[in-house]
Amino acid sequence: FQKVFDQAVTQEEIFETIAKPVADSVLAGYNGTIFAYGQTGSGKTFTITGGAERYSDRGIIPRTLSYLYQHFSQDSSMLYTTHVSYLEIYNEVGYDLLDAHHEASELEELPKVVIMEDPDQNIHLRNLSLQQSANEEEALNLLFLGDTNRMIAETPMNQASTRSHCIFTVHLCRREPGSATVRRSKLHLVDLAGSERVSKTSLGGQLLTEAKYINLSLHYLEQVIISLSEKNRSHIPYRNSMMTSVLRDSLGGNCMTTMIATISVDKRNIDESISTCRFAQRVALIKNEAILNEELDPALLIARMKREIQSLKEELSMVTGEQREDKLTQEEIQKLEELLKAFLDDPDPEVTLSLGADMRKIQHCFSMLK
């Protein structure tokens, strides 16, 4: 283990040590994942999402969002766009927690997320909405919306036990103004459901079904991790469960992955604590290869070429001297006013005011600006 924290550690320390290096690599264009694993009641959700009682109890997700948006506001040399998705995997079925069209009173009313795989073996999630968030407040509102829809139940081990795996993902896209080169990176923040023995929790009915699915998907996660830590294994059973399919990149792929193992310091839980440590030990053996996700955006390239062609045409018509002497019509003036307003309201520093090679229109816009 790289570091061991005691029970008196603050959320600030956890963020600085664990999440900040991952957030920095995501800002640089690499994929990142942080996931918490441990038995019910050992503090996974508190670590990832945080407690609601005090501001200082904020967990990794709100602190990371805060850190990212703070960085965006300070770095004016880049244009950043962020989208957020929040997936819940409950009883091996995926649900979109950020669906705005459903005021869901029950989880089953939320849209079901389906896994699709393309010929290059890339995973695509159908029905999982990507919500754009322009600032920290919007991103936190999306987080709260998702948390409200989460599946929570009372178990003998924990009064508000999260009965599902949740994956909060920040999709980040950054580029320099005027450049068509884009860096896209993803940050997965994963809160796994509690792993524990059914015999110990004395559950029945619906909670027992949940526990079976939770233990089964954690078992598949463990299988994938064992396979990855064995050097000569050619087949990795990613497809066994939804969670391992979604986190395929994070486990042994193009990603910087950090795992937090939470342990309950109690004599009765010594077996679970040992098995959590063993699991963490296996995860530590996995080698990931993170690469910089840089690409040329064809849409940006085409838009830039079109603007260039238009501006060259206008220059040409100015040189050839095709000018008109009659006055502008009322309609043309109104259209110019609309164009000018849109130009001034647009926050994009690269936006241009395209009026064509007509000196009357150019003079009219200058007089309006004056």
Side-chain angles (χ1 to χ4, degrees):
F1 313 116
Q2 284 171 312
K3 196 164 172 70
V4 178
F5 299 96
D6 64 11
Q7 61 268 46
V9 72
T10 61
Q11 293 276 46
E12 179 68 28
E13 267 178 85
I14 296 275
F15 172 74
E16 288 290 329
T17 315
I18 297 169
K20 200 174 168 190
V22 180
D24 286 334
S25 68
V26 170
L27 285 166
Y30 295 91
N31 292 339
T33 300
I34 299 171
F35 71 96
Y37 176 93
Q39 75 176 101
T40 292
S42 58
K44 294 181 302 301
T45 305
F46 183 78
T47 306
I48 295 288
T49 317
E53 284 164 24
R54 291 198 306 274
Y55 185 69
S56 59
D57 283 348
R58 288 172 310 145
I60 285 176
I61 300 179
R63 284 173 190 272
T64 305
L65 290 172
S66 196
Y67 180 71
L68 291 176
Y69 284 103
Q70 197 179 340
H71 180 88
F72 301 160
S73 61
Q74 288 166 358
D75 183 7
S76 54
S77 64
M78 290 281 177
L79 293 173
Y80 292 94
T81 48
T82 44
H83 290 79
V84 167
S85 68
Y86 206 169
L87 168 72
E88 171 167 48
I89 301 170
Y90 173 68
N91 291 358
E92 269 310 292
V93 182
Y95 296 96
D96 177 14
L97 290 178
L98 298 183
D99 183 63
H101 309 297
H102 293 68
E103 275 297 319
S105 55
E106 286 183 16
L107 183 73
E108 280 71 16
E109 292 173 16
L110 288 169
K112 287 187 173 58
V113 176
V114 186
I115 289 187
M116 317 285 276
E117 200 172 321
D118 66 16
D120 300 332
Q121 291 196 328
N122 294 319
I123 295 290
H124 301 279
L125 300 168
R126 209 174 79 197
N127 291 345
L128 182 64
S129 60
L130 271 182
Q131 308 280 356
Q132 188 164 358
S133 54
N135 52 42
E136 187 187 340
E137 192 184 344
E138 280 179 29
L140 286 175
N141 285 342
L142 290 168
L143 171 65
F144 295 142
L145 169 71
D147 282 343
T148 316
N149 289 335
R150 269 189 85 166
M151 194 66 194
I152 292 176
E154 194 174 319
T155 68
M157 303 287 280
N158 186 355
Q159 283 188 329
S161 172
T162 41
R163 313 302 297 153
S164 59
H165 311 297
C166 280
I167 304 170
F168 183 86
T169 310
V170 182
H171 302 259
L172 186 61
C173 173
R174 62 169 251 183
R175 66 181 177 92
E176 275 183 56
S179 163
T181 307
V182 179
R183 283 187 184 179
R184 299 182 197 279
S185 49
K186 281 185 302 199
L187 172 60
H188 292 302
L189 298 162
V190 188
D191 179 19
L192 298 175
S195 60
E196 76 259 313
R197 292 166 193 197
V198 171
S199 58
K200 197 174 245 190
T201 51
S202 57
L203 301 172
Q206 179 65 19
L207 289 176
L208 180 63
T209 313
E210 291 171 357
K212 283 179 191 165
Y213 274 113
I214 290 167
N215 287 350
L216 189 64
S217 64
L218 291 173
H219 165 68
Y220 287 139
L221 176 65
E222 193 158 4
Q223 271 191 338
V224 166
I225 282 161
I226 290 168
S227 312
L228 285 165
S229 55
E230 290 172 3
K231 284 195 176 109
N232 44 11
R233 275 290 283 270
S234 58
H235 172 67
I236 313 290
Y238 287 118
R239 285 201 187 97
N240 282 353
S241 78
M242 183 164 190
M243 186 177 57
T244 49
S245 300
V246 175
L247 295 180
R248 190 178 191 152
D249 257 357
S250 313
L251 305 164
N254 168 24
C255 193
M256 291 181 161
T257 303
T258 305
M259 175 187 163
I260 302 164
T262 56
I263 295 169
S264 174
V265 201
D266 192 330
K267 255 190 186 158
R268 288 171 305 174
N269 300 329
I270 196 84
D271 292 347
E272 272 87 353
S273 298
I274 290 168
S275 81
T276 301
C277 290
R278 282 207 185 113
F279 182 79
Q281 225 166 359
R282 287 198 195 104
V283 172
L285 294 173
I286 299 175
K287 287 200 163 37
N288 279 11
E289 285 178 25
I291 53 171
L292 193 63
N293 304 305
E294 205 166 51
E295 59 188 61
L296 268 173
D297 190 329
L300 285 173
L301 211 54
I302 292 165
R304 204 168 77 189
M305 299 292 189
K306 278 183 175 170
R307 281 205 302 271
E308 214 168 296
I309 291 167
Q310 187 58 36
S311 125
L312 289 168
K313 277 183 179 172
E314 287 164 10
E315 274 182 43
L316 201 60
S317 69
M318 276 192 165
V319 172
T320 53
E322 286 179 22
Q323 296 296 338
R324 294 161 62 187
E325 296 303 322
D326 48 331
K327 285 192 171 178
L328 292 169
T329 64
Q330 201 56 42
E331 261 177 47
E332 284 176 316
I333 289 172
Q334 197 178 344
K335 187 142 194 246
L336 283 177
E337 283 171 5
E338 284 168 16
L339 277 172
L340 195 61
K341 188 179 185 311
F343 170 71
L344 294 172
D345 290 345
D346 196 323
D348 184 358
E350 281 181 56
V351 70
T352 54
L353 179 59
S354 191
L355 302 169
D358 190 336
M359 278 315 286
R360 301 166 312 155
K361 290 183 179 178
I362 293 168
Q363 297 288 6
H364 185 79
C365 280
F366 270 117
S367 66
M368 280 201 286
L369 282 169
K370 190 174 181 188

